[in-house]
Amino acid sequence: MDGIRRPARWATAVGLLAAIGGLAVLFLYALSEVLADPTISLADAFDIGRLPWTTIGVDLTVGGATLSALAGVLAAWLSGGTIRRLITGLLFAVVAFWWFVALLPQPGGAPCAACRPRGPEPLTVAYSNPKQTVLLLIAPAAVIGVLALTAHRSRMRPVESPPV
């Protein structure tokens, strides 16, 4: 089990760092917009969405949170503990629900009769609905990651045989 647990913990840490890095990119980009035009708020600056910074930030955040959730659940389940398994399982269901909603076809169909309908665009969903993304993807993935990284490793003690 330790052969799987260690890579899962590393992947969880990498996912958390990527998500934090993506959020930092988004914040710094929005801050630069506010510094350029002090009459707008951070939320308005986020809505401007200039390339490539917004795309980089959203990609890192969604990818990192997803990796943290997937690897974190695996690491937490391998580390043991009924409460830890229950909490991470429920939070992973929330993350899976976000992905289910993000992968649904977009309403409105195709832009023209001869065009194929657009496929799912989860990164666009993440950018368009930041509150939903934070509540259903980023926050649960962060809690899963923290629970996975703080799990105590069970250490087996040698069993001493009674004296004969």
Side-chain angles (χ1 to χ4, degrees), residues 132-146:
Q132 175 186 357
T133 303
V134 168
L135 289 176
L136 299 178
L137 176 67
I138 298 169
V143 174
I144 290 170
V146 168

Side-chain angles (χ1 to χ4, degrees), residues 16-139:
L16 283 174
L17 289 175
I20 291 168
L23 290 172
V25 167
L26 291 171
F27 176 74
L28 292 174
Y29 156 72
L31 184 63
S32 73
E33 289 289 338
V34 169
L35 292 175
D37 183 5
T39 62
I40 63 174
S41 67
L42 279 174
D44 292 336
F46 175 78
D47 287 338
I48 292 172
R50 295 194 199 275
L51 295 175
W53 299 112
T54 302
T55 306
I56 292 170
V58 170
D59 290 357
L60 278 173
T61 302
V62 171
T66 303
L67 177 62
S68 174
L70 288 171
V73 163
L74 180 63
W77 278 65
L78 291 175
S79 295
T82 306
I83 302 294
R84 186 177 311 273
R85 288 178 178 167
L86 178 67
I87 292 171
T88 56
L90 291 173
L91 289 173
F92 187 74
V94 173
V95 171
F97 175 74
W98 183 88
W99 271 101
F100 172 75
V101 170
L103 292 175
L104 289 174
Q106 298 297 317
C112 66
C115 300
R116 289 184 23 218
R118 293 184 306 192
E121 299 174 2
L123 299 175
T124 302
V125 171
Y127 175 73
S128 301
N129 301 318
K131 290 178 186 174
Q132 175 186 357
T133 303
V134 168
L135 289 176
L136 299 178
L137 176 67
I138 298 169

